[in-house]
């Protein structure tokens, strides 16, 4: 049986690793801008190339002495990335960082990520509620007969995400039975849920939080540990396209567990040709 001390220590190790991954030199806190591509050339203030996109996907024109490393191969001049799948992406490395070439909501985008981004260097972690075993809740997985396509909004205007939901999880809080619609997680069979609750916009980030859910066992048993509820990148930066929770995942209780509202945020203007932070090179 896990003691409260062991529970707290395990949670602390987990959150330390989560913060370390969040503050990676090429992670979301290193993003210096969000650039929606079009047929008109777009240049970046802090990364190489002139970029366009069309039916055949993103294309970059690199000037003399400019280069990128794409999937392990150094390229110069003109490079065609080909069509990028929805929610897919490629990281193109350059001297000083990487450029994420991705597709969201049917549109291609660029997000440079630099380890010398002042926001990243100043980041000191995200506040949390104290870990509490009472918020680690037994849950039951309720699969749909067939996966359901669920359309959700996004942290940026005029963008939607569509995810296939395999089912819901059911659990109790204070005697009330609640359910969350889930989506496939990173590990085989695992799930995750986007949600808001009665703390959202007060002590926690208003738009969303996410909680990972272990793969259910053969009888559908799993757990929802709200101590491990985390903020998505959009809580920290304007340059994220995070999905919002489906309407049914607005919980009627105050989930005083997991990550609280961040204390700092990277802001900027996002346009089709994007003008954001001053160049850092």
């Amino acid at each position: 049986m896990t003691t409260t001390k062991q529970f707290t220590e395990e949670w602390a190790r987990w959150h330390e690793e989560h913060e370390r991954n969040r503050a990676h030199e090429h992670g979301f806190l290193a993003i210096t801008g969000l650039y929606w591509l079009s047929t008109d050339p777009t240049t970046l203030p802090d990364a190489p190339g002139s970029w366009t996109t069309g039916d055949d996907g993103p294309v970059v024109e690199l000037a003399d002495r400019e280069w990128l490393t794409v999937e392990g191969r150094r390229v110069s001049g003109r490079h065609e990335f080909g069509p990028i799948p929805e929610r897919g992406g490629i990281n193109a490395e350059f001297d000083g960082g990487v450029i994420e070439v991705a597709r969201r909501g049917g549109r291609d985008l660029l997000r440079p990520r630099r380890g010398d981004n002042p926001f990243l260097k100043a980041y000191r972690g995200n506040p949390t509620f104290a870990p509490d075993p009472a918020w680690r809740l037994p849950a039951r997985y309720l699969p749909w007969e067939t996966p359901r396509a669920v359309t959700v909004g996004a942290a940026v205007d005029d963008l939607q995400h569509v995810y296939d939901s395999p089912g819901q999880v059911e659990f109790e809080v204070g005697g009330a039975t609640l359910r969350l619609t889930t989506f496939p997680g990173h590990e085989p069979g695992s799930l995750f849920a986007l949600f808001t609750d009665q703390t959202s916009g007060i002590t926690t980030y208003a738009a969303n939080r996410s909680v990972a859910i272990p793969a259910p066992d053969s009888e559908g048993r799993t757990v929802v540990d709200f101590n491990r509820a985390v903020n998505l990148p959009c809580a920290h930066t304007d340059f994220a396209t995070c999905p919002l929770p489906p309407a049914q995942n607005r919980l009627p209780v105050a989930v005083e567990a997991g990550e609280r509202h961040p204390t700092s945020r990277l802001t900027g203007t996002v346009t089709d040709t994007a003008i954001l932070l001053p160049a850092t090179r």
Side-chain angles (χ1 to χ4, degrees):
M1 181 176 179
T2 302
T3 66
T4 300
K5 180 175 183 291
Q6 290 171 323
F7 179 87
T8 301
E9 289 173 347
E10 289 175 3
W11 176 89
R13 286 193 294 269
W14 165 81
H15 198 250
E16 181 181 358
E17 181 180 3
H18 180 74
E19 287 283 26
R20 187 163 53 248
N21 291 335
R22 175 185 278 151
H24 188 275
E25 64 176 344
H26 294 160
F28 264 92
L29 303 187
I31 291 176
T32 60
L34 169 57
Y35 302 77
W36 294 104
L37 295 179
S38 70
T39 55
D40 296 325
T42 294
T43 57
L44 287 60
D46 55 357
S50 176
W51 299 76
T52 57
T53 195
D55 292 341
D56 295 326
V59 175
V60 62
E61 299 278 357
L62 297 161
D64 291 345
R65 291 194 287 271
E66 287 187 334
W67 56 269
L68 294 170
T69 299
V70 181
E71 297 179 328
R73 182 170 65 92
R74 184 169 172 131
V75 300
S76 58
R78 177 184 173 90
H79 179 74
E80 299 179 1
F81 286 84
I84 305 293
E86 183 67 28
R87 293 199 295 274
I90 296 172
N91 282 342
E93 300 176 27
F94 65 95
D95 185 16
V98 300
I99 302 172
E100 177 193 8
V101 187
R103 188 171 179 84
R104 300 291 185 270
R107 299 180 64 192
D108 294 326
L109 61 85
L110 304 177
R111 282 188 288 214
R113 304 173 185 230
R114 298 182 61 100
D116 59 1
N117 185 352
F119 181 77
L120 171 62
K121 297 174 83 67
Y123 180 70
R124 294 295 179 267
N126 196 117
T128 70
F129 291 96
D132 182 353
W135 280 107
R136 179 178 167 85
L137 306 174
R140 184 165 65 103
Y141 176 52
L142 305 172
W144 311 120
E145 288 188 12
T146 58
R148 298 182 181 181
V150 178
T151 300
V152 298
V156 296
D157 294 336
D158 302 321
L159 181 64
Q160 291 184 325
H161 298 279
V162 180
Y163 292 94
D164 285 335
S165 169
Q168 295 182 311
V169 290
E170 182 179 82
F171 52 93
E172 289 190 2
V173 177
T177 299
L178 304 176
R179 290 184 180 181
L180 287 172
T181 294
T182 66
F183 303 115
H186 291 296
E187 302 298 326
S190 70
L191 307 164
F192 79 94
L194 302 164
F195 72 95
T196 57
D197 65 274
Q198 297 305 297
T199 69
S200 301
I202 303 173
T203 56
T204 63
Y205 181 54
N208 53 24
R209 285 193 289 168
S210 176
V211 62
I213 301 167
D217 67 14
S218 60
E219 297 182 4
R221 292 174 299 197
T222 184
V223 296
V224 178
D225 188 349
F226 284 109
N227 294 285
R228 301 193 180 195
V230 297
N231 290 325
L232 276 68
C234 56
H236 298 275
T237 173
D238 284 351
F239 309 142
T241 61
C242 302
L244 302 180
Q248 60 269 31
N249 284 13
R250 297 169 184 167
L251 297 176
V253 296
V255 180
E256 296 182 320
E259 291 193 329
R260 301 169 68 108
H261 203 289
T263 55
S264 59
R265 181 177 173 86
L266 178 59
T267 60
T269 302
V270 180
T271 69
D272 279 349
T273 53
I275 295 99
L276 302 175
L277 300 180
T280 55
R281 68 172 181 179

Coordinates of all heavy atoms in Angstrom, one line a residue, residues 84-163:
I84 N 2.2 18.0 -45.6 CA 2.3 17.7 -44.2 C 1.0 17.2 -43.7 O -0.1 17.8 -43.9 CB 2.7 18.9 -43.4 CG1 4.0 19.6 -43.9 CG2 2.9 18.6 -41.9 CD1 5.2 18.7 -43.8
P85 N 0.9 16.0 -43.1 CA -0.4 15.5 -42.6 C -0.9 16.4 -41.4 O -0.2 17.0 -40.7 CB -0.1 14.1 -42.1 CG 1.4 14.1 -41.8 CD 2.0 15.1 -42.8
E86 N -2.2 16.4 -41.3 CA -2.9 17.1 -40.2 C -2.3 16.6 -38.9 O -2.2 15.4 -38.6 CB -4.4 17.0 -40.2 CG -5.1 17.7 -39.2 CD -5.0 19.3 -39.4 OE1 -4.9 19.7 -40.5 OE2 -5.1 20.0 -38.4
R87 N -1.9 17.6 -38.0 CA -1.3 17.3 -36.7 C 0.1 16.7 -36.8 O 0.6 16.2 -35.8 CB -2.2 16.5 -35.8 CG -3.4 17.3 -35.3 CD -4.1 16.7 -34.1 NE -4.6 15.4 -34.3 CZ -5.8 15.1 -34.7 NH1 -6.6 16.1 -35.1 NH2 -6.2 13.9 -34.8
G88 N 0.6 16.6 -38.1 CA 1.9 16.1 -38.3 C 2.9 17.3 -38.3 O 2.5 18.4 -38.2
G89 N 4.2 17.0 -38.4 CA 5.2 18.0 -38.5 C 6.6 17.5 -38.6 O 6.9 16.3 -38.4
I90 N 7.5 18.3 -39.1 CA 8.9 18.0 -39.3 C 9.7 19.1 -38.6 O 9.4 20.3 -38.7 CB 9.2 18.0 -40.8 CG1 8.5 16.8 -41.5 CG2 10.7 17.8 -41.0 CD1 8.6 16.8 -43.0
N91 N 10.8 18.8 -37.9 CA 11.7 19.8 -37.4 C 12.9 19.9 -38.3 O 13.6 19.0 -38.5 CB 12.1 19.3 -36.0 CG 11.1 19.6 -34.9 OD1 10.2 20.4 -35.1 ND2 11.2 19.0 -33.8
A92 N 13.1 21.1 -38.8 CA 14.2 21.5 -39.6 C 15.2 22.2 -38.7 O 14.9 23.3 -38.2 CB 13.8 22.3 -40.8
E93 N 16.4 21.7 -38.6 CA 17.4 22.3 -37.7 C 18.2 23.4 -38.4 O 18.5 23.3 -39.6 CB 18.4 21.2 -37.2 CG 17.7 20.1 -36.4 CD 18.7 19.0 -36.0 OE1 19.9 19.3 -35.9 OE2 18.3 17.8 -35.9
F94 N 18.6 24.4 -37.7 CA 19.5 25.4 -38.2 C 20.4 25.8 -37.1 O 20.3 25.4 -36.0 CB 18.7 26.6 -38.8 CG 17.9 27.4 -37.7 CD1 18.5 28.5 -37.1 CD2 16.7 27.0 -37.4 CE1 17.7 29.2 -36.2 CE2 15.9 27.7 -36.4 CZ 16.5 28.8 -35.8
D95 N 21.4 26.6 -37.4 CA 22.4 27.0 -36.4 C 21.7 28.0 -35.4 O 21.5 29.1 -35.7 CB 23.6 27.7 -37.1 CG 24.7 28.1 -36.1 OD1 24.7 27.5 -35.0 OD2 25.6 28.9 -36.5
G96 N 21.4 27.5 -34.3 CA 20.7 28.3 -33.2 C 19.4 27.7 -32.8 O 18.8 28.2 -31.9
G97 N 18.8 26.7 -33.5 CA 17.6 26.2 -33.1 C 17.0 25.3 -34.2 O 17.6 24.7 -35.0
V98 N 15.6 25.1 -34.1 CA 14.9 24.3 -35.1 C 13.7 25.1 -35.5 O 13.2 26.0 -34.8 CB 14.4 23.0 -34.5 CG1 15.6 22.1 -34.0 CG2 13.5 23.1 -33.4
I99 N 13.2 24.8 -36.7 CA 11.9 25.3 -37.2 C 10.9 24.1 -37.3 O 11.2 23.1 -38.0 CB 12.1 25.9 -38.6 CG1 13.1 27.1 -38.6 CG2 10.7 26.5 -39.1 CD1 13.4 27.6 -39.9
E100 N 9.8 24.2 -36.6 CA 8.8 23.2 -36.7 C 8.0 23.6 -37.9 O 7.4 24.7 -38.0 CB 7.9 23.2 -35.5 CG 6.7 22.3 -35.5 CD 5.7 22.5 -34.5 OE1 5.8 23.5 -33.7 OE2 4.8 21.7 -34.3
V101 N 7.9 22.6 -38.9 CA 7.0 22.8 -40.1 C 5.8 21.9 -39.8 O 6.0 20.6 -39.8 CB 7.8 22.4 -41.3 CG1 7.0 22.7 -42.6 CG2 9.2 23.1 -41.4
A102 N 4.6 22.4 -39.7 CA 3.5 21.6 -39.2 C 2.2 22.0 -40.0 O 2.2 23.0 -40.7 CB 3.3 21.8 -37.7
R103 N 1.2 21.3 -39.7 CA -0.1 21.6 -40.3 C -1.2 21.4 -39.2 O -1.3 20.4 -38.5 CB -0.4 20.6 -41.4 CG -1.7 20.9 -42.3 CD -1.8 20.0 -43.5 NE -2.9 20.3 -44.3 CZ -3.0 21.2 -45.2 NH1 -2.0 22.0 -45.4 NH2 -4.1 21.4 -45.9
R104 N -2.0 22.5 -39.1 CA -3.1 22.5 -38.1 C -4.3 23.1 -38.7 O -4.2 24.2 -39.4 CB -2.7 23.3 -36.9 CG -1.5 22.8 -36.1 CD -1.7 21.5 -35.4 NE -0.5 21.1 -34.6 CZ 0.5 20.3 -35.1 NH1 0.4 19.9 -36.4 NH2 1.5 20.0 -34.3
G105 N -5.4 22.5 -38.6 CA -6.7 23.0 -39.1 C -6.7 23.2 -40.6 O -7.3 24.1 -41.2
G106 N -5.9 22.3 -41.3 CA -5.8 22.4 -42.8 C -4.9 23.5 -43.3 O -4.9 23.8 -44.5
R107 N -4.1 24.1 -42.5 CA -3.2 25.2 -42.9 C -1.8 24.8 -42.4 O -1.6 24.3 -41.3 CB -3.6 26.5 -42.3 CG -5.0 27.0 -42.7 CD -5.3 28.3 -42.1 NE -4.4 29.3 -42.6 CZ -4.4 30.6 -42.0 NH1 -5.1 30.8 -41.0 NH2 -3.6 31.5 -42.5
D108 N -0.8 25.2 -43.2 CA 0.6 24.9 -42.9 C 1.2 26.1 -42.1 O 0.8 27.3 -42.3 CB 1.5 24.7 -44.1 CG 1.1 23.5 -44.9 OD1 0.7 22.5 -44.2 OD2 1.1 23.5 -46.1
L109 N 2.1 25.8 -41.1 CA 2.6 26.8 -40.3 C 4.1 26.5 -40.0 O 4.6 25.4 -40.2 CB 1.8 26.9 -39.0 CG 1.8 25.7 -38.1 CD1 3.0 25.6 -37.1 CD2 0.5 25.7 -37.2
L110 N 4.8 27.6 -39.5 CA 6.1 27.5 -39.0 C 6.2 28.0 -37.5 O 5.5 28.9 -37.2 CB 7.1 28.3 -39.8 CG 7.1 28.1 -41.3 CD1 8.1 29.1 -41.9 CD2 7.6 26.7 -41.6
R111 N 7.0 27.3 -36.7 CA 7.3 27.8 -35.4 C 8.7 27.6 -35.1 O 9.2 26.5 -34.8 CB 6.4 27.0 -34.3 CG 5.0 27.5 -34.3 CD 4.2 26.9 -33.2 NE 3.9 25.5 -33.4 CZ 2.8 24.9 -32.9 NH1 1.8 25.6 -32.3 NH2 2.6 23.6 -33.1
P112 N 9.5 28.7 -35.2 CA 10.9 28.6 -34.8 C 11.1 28.4 -33.3 O 10.3 28.9 -32.5 CB 11.5 29.9 -35.2 CG 10.5 30.5 -36.1 CD 9.2 30.0 -35.7
R113 N 12.1 27.6 -32.9 CA 12.3 27.3 -31.5 C 13.8 27.5 -31.2 O 14.6 26.9 -31.9 CB 11.9 25.9 -31.1 CG 10.4 25.6 -31.4 CD 10.1 24.1 -31.2 NE 8.8 23.8 -31.7 CZ 7.9 23.1 -30.9 NH1 8.2 22.7 -29.7 NH2 6.7 22.9 -31.4
R114 N 14.1 28.4 -30.3 CA 15.5 28.8 -30.0 C 15.8 28.6 -28.6 O 15.0 29.1 -27.7 CB 15.8 30.2 -30.5 CG 15.6 30.5 -32.0 CD 15.9 32.0 -32.3 NE 17.3 32.2 -32.0 CZ 18.3 32.3 -32.9 NH1 18.1 32.0 -34.1 NH2 19.5 32.5 -32.5
G115 N 16.9 28.0 -28.3 CA 17.3 27.8 -26.9 C 17.7 29.1 -26.2 O 17.7 29.2 -25.0
D116 N 18.0 30.2 -27.0 CA 18.3 31.4 -26.4 C 17.1 32.4 -26.2 O 17.2 33.5 -25.9 CB 19.4 32.2 -27.2 CG 19.0 32.4 -28.6 OD1 17.9 32.1 -29.0 OD2 19.9 33.0 -29.4
N117 N 15.9 31.8 -26.4 CA 14.7 32.6 -26.2 C 14.6 33.1 -24.8 O 14.7 32.4 -23.8 CB 13.5 31.7 -26.5 CG 12.1 32.5 -26.4 OD1 12.1 33.7 -26.1 ND2 11.1 31.9 -26.8
P118 N 14.6 34.5 -24.6 CA 14.6 35.0 -23.2 C 13.5 34.5 -22.3 O 13.7 34.3 -21.1 CB 14.4 36.5 -23.4 CG 15.0 36.8 -24.8 CD 14.6 35.5 -25.6
F119 N 12.3 34.2 -22.9 CA 11.2 33.6 -22.1 C 11.6 32.3 -21.5 O 11.3 32.0 -20.4 CB 9.9 33.5 -23.0 CG 8.7 33.0 -22.2 CD1 8.0 33.8 -21.3 CD2 8.3 31.7 -22.4 CE1 6.9 33.3 -20.6 CE2 7.2 31.2 -21.7 CZ 6.5 32.0 -20.8
L120 N 12.2 31.4 -22.4 CA 12.6 30.1 -21.9 C 13.6 30.2 -20.8 O 13.6 29.5 -19.8 CB 13.2 29.3 -23.1 CG 13.8 28.0 -22.7 CD1 12.9 27.0 -22.1 CD2 14.5 27.4 -24.0
K121 N 14.6 31.1 -21.0 CA 15.7 31.2 -20.0 C 15.2 31.8 -18.7 O 15.8 31.5 -17.6 CB 16.8 32.1 -20.6 CG 17.4 31.6 -21.8 CD 18.4 32.5 -22.5 CE 19.8 32.5 -21.8 NZ 20.5 31.3 -22.0
A122 N 14.1 32.5 -18.7 CA 13.5 33.1 -17.5 C 12.5 32.2 -16.8 O 12.1 32.5 -15.6 CB 12.9 34.4 -17.8
Y123 N 12.1 31.1 -17.4 CA 11.1 30.2 -16.9 C 11.6 29.6 -15.6 O 12.7 29.0 -15.5 CB 10.7 29.2 -17.9 CG 9.6 28.2 -17.5 CD1 8.3 28.7 -17.3 CD2 9.9 26.9 -17.2 CE1 7.3 27.8 -16.9 CE2 8.9 26.0 -16.8 CZ 7.6 26.5 -16.6 OH 6.7 25.6 -16.2
R124 N 10.7 29.6 -14.6 CA 11.1 29.0 -13.3 C 10.0 28.0 -12.8 O 10.0 27.7 -11.6 CB 11.2 30.1 -12.2 CG 12.4 31.1 -12.5 CD 13.7 30.3 -12.4 NE 14.8 31.2 -12.7 CZ 15.4 31.4 -13.9 NH1 14.9 30.7 -14.9 NH2 16.4 32.2 -14.0
G125 N 9.2 27.5 -13.7 CA 8.3 26.5 -13.3 C 6.8 27.0 -13.2 O 6.6 28.1 -13.1
N126 N 5.9 26.0 -13.1 CA 4.5 26.3 -13.1 C 4.0 25.9 -11.7 O 4.2 24.8 -11.2 CB 3.7 25.4 -14.1 CG 2.3 25.9 -14.4 OD1 2.0 26.3 -15.5 ND2 1.4 25.9 -13.4
P127 N 3.3 26.8 -11.0 CA 2.7 26.5 -9.7 C 1.8 25.4 -9.7 O 1.1 25.1 -10.7 CB 2.0 27.8 -9.2 CG 2.6 28.9 -10.1 CD 3.0 28.2 -11.4
T128 N 1.7 24.6 -8.6 CA 0.7 23.5 -8.5 C 0.0 23.5 -7.2 O 0.5 24.2 -6.2 CB 1.5 22.2 -8.6 OG1 2.3 22.0 -7.4 CG2 2.4 22.1 -9.9
F129 N -1.1 22.8 -7.1 CA -1.7 22.5 -5.8 C -0.8 21.4 -5.1 O -0.1 20.7 -5.8 CB -3.1 21.9 -6.0 CG -4.1 22.9 -6.5 CD1 -4.4 23.0 -7.9 CD2 -4.8 23.7 -5.6 CE1 -5.4 23.9 -8.3 CE2 -5.7 24.6 -6.0 CZ -6.0 24.7 -7.4
A130 N -0.8 21.3 -3.8 CA -0.1 20.3 -3.1 C -0.7 18.9 -3.5 O -1.9 18.8 -3.6 CB -0.2 20.5 -1.6
P131 N 0.2 18.0 -3.8 CA -0.4 16.6 -4.2 C -1.2 16.0 -3.1 O -0.9 16.1 -1.9 CB 0.9 15.8 -4.4 CG 2.0 16.5 -3.7 CD 1.6 18.0 -3.7
D132 N -2.3 15.5 -3.5 CA -3.3 14.9 -2.5 C -3.8 13.6 -3.0 O -4.5 13.6 -4.1 CB -4.5 15.9 -2.4 CG -5.5 15.5 -1.4 OD1 -5.4 14.3 -0.9 OD2 -6.4 16.3 -1.1
P133 N -3.6 12.5 -2.3 CA -4.1 11.2 -2.8 C -5.6 11.1 -3.0 O -6.0 10.3 -3.8 CB -3.6 10.2 -1.7 CG -2.5 10.9 -1.0 CD -2.8 12.4 -1.1
A134 N -6.3 12.0 -2.4 CA -7.8 12.0 -2.5 C -8.2 12.3 -4.0 O -9.3 12.0 -4.4 CB -8.4 13.0 -1.5
W135 N -7.3 12.9 -4.7 CA -7.6 13.3 -6.1 C -7.1 12.2 -7.1 O -7.2 12.5 -8.3 CB -7.1 14.7 -6.5 CG -8.0 15.8 -6.0 CD1 -7.7 16.6 -4.9 CD2 -9.2 16.1 -6.5 NE1 -8.7 17.5 -4.7 CE2 -9.7 17.2 -5.7 CE3 -10.1 15.7 -7.5 CZ2 -10.9 17.8 -5.9 CZ3 -11.3 16.3 -7.7 CH2 -11.7 17.4 -6.9
R136 N -6.7 11.1 -6.6 CA -6.4 10.0 -7.5 C -7.6 9.1 -7.4 O -7.8 8.3 -6.4 CB -5.1 9.2 -7.0 CG -4.7 8.0 -7.9 CD -3.5 7.4 -7.4 NE -3.3 6.1 -8.0 CZ -2.7 5.8 -9.2 NH1 -2.3 6.8 -9.9 NH2 -2.6 4.6 -9.6
L137 N -8.4 9.1 -8.5 CA -9.7 8.5 -8.4 C -9.8 7.2 -9.2 O -9.5 7.2 -10.4 CB -10.8 9.6 -9.0 CG -10.7 10.9 -8.3 CD1 -11.7 11.9 -9.0 CD2 -11.1 10.8 -6.8
P138 N -10.4 6.2 -8.6 CA -10.7 5.0 -9.4 C -11.7 5.3 -10.5 O -12.6 6.2 -10.3 CB -11.3 4.0 -8.4 CG -11.0 4.6 -7.1 CD -10.8 6.0 -7.2
A139 N -11.5 4.8 -11.7 CA -12.3 5.1 -12.8 C -12.7 3.9 -13.6 O -12.0 2.8 -13.6 CB -11.7 6.1 -13.7
R140 N -13.7 4.0 -14.4 CA -14.2 2.9 -15.3 C -14.2 3.4 -16.7 O -14.8 4.4 -17.0 CB -15.6 2.4 -14.8 CG -16.1 1.2 -15.6 CD -17.2 0.5 -14.8 NE -18.4 1.4 -14.8 CZ -19.5 1.2 -15.5 NH1 -19.5 0.3 -16.4 NH2 -20.5 2.0 -15.4
Y141 N -13.6 2.6 -17.6 CA -13.6 3.0 -19.0 C -14.9 2.5 -19.7 O -15.3 1.3 -19.6 CB -12.4 2.4 -19.7 CG -12.3 2.6 -21.2 CD1 -12.4 3.9 -21.7 CD2 -12.1 1.5 -22.0 CE1 -12.3 4.1 -23.1 CE2 -12.0 1.7 -23.4 CZ -12.1 3.0 -23.9 OH -12.0 3.2 -25.3
L142 N -15.6 3.4 -20.4 CA -16.8 3.1 -21.1 C -16.6 3.3 -22.6 O -16.8 4.5 -23.1 CB -17.9 4.0 -20.6 CG -18.2 4.0 -19.1 CD1 -19.2 5.0 -18.7 CD2 -18.7 2.6 -18.7
P143 N -16.1 2.3 -23.3 CA -15.9 2.5 -24.8 C -17.1 2.7 -25.6 O -18.2 2.1 -25.3 CB -15.1 1.2 -25.2 CG -15.7 0.2 -24.2 CD -15.9 0.9 -22.9
W144 N -17.0 3.5 -26.6 CA -18.1 3.6 -27.6 C -18.1 2.3 -28.4 O -17.1 1.6 -28.5 CB -17.9 4.8 -28.6 CG -17.6 6.1 -28.0 CD1 -16.5 6.9 -28.2 CD2 -18.4 6.9 -27.1 NE1 -16.6 8.1 -27.5 CE2 -17.7 8.1 -26.8 CE3 -19.7 6.7 -26.5 CZ2 -18.2 9.1 -26.0 CZ3 -20.2 7.7 -25.7 CH2 -19.5 8.9 -25.4
E145 N -19.3 2.0 -29.0 CA -19.3 0.8 -29.9 C -18.3 1.0 -31.1 O -17.6 0.0 -31.5 CB -20.7 0.7 -30.5 CG -21.7 0.1 -29.5 CD -23.0 -0.2 -30.1 OE1 -23.1 -0.3 -31.3 OE2 -24.0 -0.4 -29.3
T146 N -18.2 2.2 -31.6 CA -17.2 2.6 -32.6 C -16.7 3.9 -32.2 O -17.4 4.8 -31.6 CB -17.7 2.6 -34.0 OG1 -18.8 3.5 -34.1 CG2 -18.2 1.2 -34.5
P147 N -15.4 4.3 -32.5 CA -14.9 5.6 -32.1 C -15.7 6.7 -32.8 O -16.2 6.6 -33.9 CB -13.5 5.6 -32.7 CG -13.1 4.1 -32.8 CD -14.4 3.4 -33.1
R148 N -15.8 7.8 -32.0 CA -16.6 8.9 -32.5 C -15.7 10.1 -32.8 O -14.8 10.5 -32.0 CB -17.6 9.3 -31.4 CG -18.6 8.3 -31.0 CD -19.6 8.8 -30.0 NE -20.6 7.7 -29.6 CZ -21.6 7.9 -28.8 NH1 -21.7 9.1 -28.1 NH2 -22.4 6.9 -28.5
A149 N -15.9 10.7 -33.9 CA -15.2 12.0 -34.3 C -15.8 13.1 -33.4 O -17.0 13.4 -33.4 CB -15.3 12.3 -35.8
V150 N -14.9 13.8 -32.7 CA -15.3 14.9 -31.9 C -14.5 16.2 -32.3 O -13.3 16.2 -32.4 CB -14.9 14.6 -30.4 CG1 -15.3 15.8 -29.5 CG2 -15.7 13.4 -29.9
T151 N -15.3 17.2 -32.7 CA -14.7 18.5 -33.1 C -14.6 19.4 -31.9 O -15.6 19.6 -31.2 CB -15.6 19.1 -34.2 OG1 -15.7 18.2 -35.3 CG2 -15.0 20.4 -34.7
V152 N -13.4 20.0 -31.7 CA -13.2 20.9 -30.6 C -12.6 22.2 -31.2 O -12.0 22.2 -32.2 CB -12.4 20.3 -29.5 CG1 -13.0 19.0 -28.9 CG2 -11.0 19.9 -30.0
G153 N -12.8 23.2 -30.4 CA -12.1 24.5 -30.8 C -10.7 24.5 -30.5 O -10.1 23.5 -30.1
A154 N -10.0 25.6 -30.7 CA -8.6 25.8 -30.5 C -8.3 27.1 -29.8 O -9.1 28.0 -29.7 CB -7.9 25.7 -31.8
A155 N -7.0 27.1 -29.3 CA -6.6 28.3 -28.6 C -6.4 29.5 -29.5 O -6.2 30.6 -29.0 CB -5.3 28.0 -27.8
V156 N -6.4 29.3 -30.8 CA -6.3 30.4 -31.8 C -7.6 30.5 -32.5 O -8.3 29.5 -32.7 CB -5.1 30.2 -32.8 CG1 -3.8 30.3 -32.0 CG2 -5.3 29.0 -33.6
D157 N -8.0 31.7 -33.0 CA -9.3 31.9 -33.6 C -9.3 31.2 -35.0 O -8.3 31.0 -35.6 CB -9.5 33.4 -33.9 CG -9.6 34.2 -32.6 OD1 -10.0 33.6 -31.6 OD2 -9.4 35.4 -32.6
D158 N -10.6 30.8 -35.4 CA -10.8 30.2 -36.7 C -10.1 28.9 -36.9 O -9.7 28.6 -38.1 CB -10.5 31.2 -37.8 CG -11.3 32.5 -37.7 OD1 -12.4 32.5 -37.3 OD2 -10.7 33.6 -37.9
L159 N -9.9 28.2 -35.9 CA -9.2 26.9 -36.0 C -10.0 25.8 -35.2 O -10.5 26.1 -34.1 CB -7.8 27.0 -35.5 CG -6.9 25.7 -35.6 CD1 -6.7 25.3 -37.0 CD2 -5.6 25.9 -34.9
Q160 N -10.2 24.7 -35.8 CA -10.8 23.5 -35.1 C -9.9 22.3 -35.2 O -9.1 22.2 -36.1 CB -12.2 23.2 -35.7 CG -13.2 24.3 -35.4 CD -14.6 23.9 -35.9 OE1 -14.7 23.3 -36.9 NE2 -15.6 24.3 -35.2
H161 N -10.0 21.4 -34.2 CA -9.4 20.1 -34.2 C -10.4 19.0 -34.2 O -11.5 19.2 -33.6 CB -8.5 19.9 -33.0 CG -7.3 20.9 -32.9 ND1 -6.2 20.8 -33.6 CD2 -7.2 22.1 -32.2 CE1 -5.4 21.8 -33.3 NE2 -6.0 22.6 -32.4
V162 N -10.2 17.9 -34.9 CA -11.1 16.8 -34.9 C -10.3 15.6 -34.4 O -9.2 15.2 -35.0 CB -11.6 16.5 -36.3 CG1 -12.6 15.3 -36.2 CG2 -12.4 17.7 -36.9
Y163 N -10.8 15.0 -33.3 CA -10.1 13.8 -32.7 C -11.1 12.7 -32.7 O -12.3 12.9 -32.5 CB -9.7 14.1 -31.3 CG -8.6 15.1 -31.1 CD1 -8.9 16.4 -30.9 CD2 -7.2 14.7 -31.2 CE1 -7.8 17.4 -30.7 CE2 -6.2 15.6 -31.0 CZ -6.5 16.9 -30.8 OH -5.5 17.9 -30.6

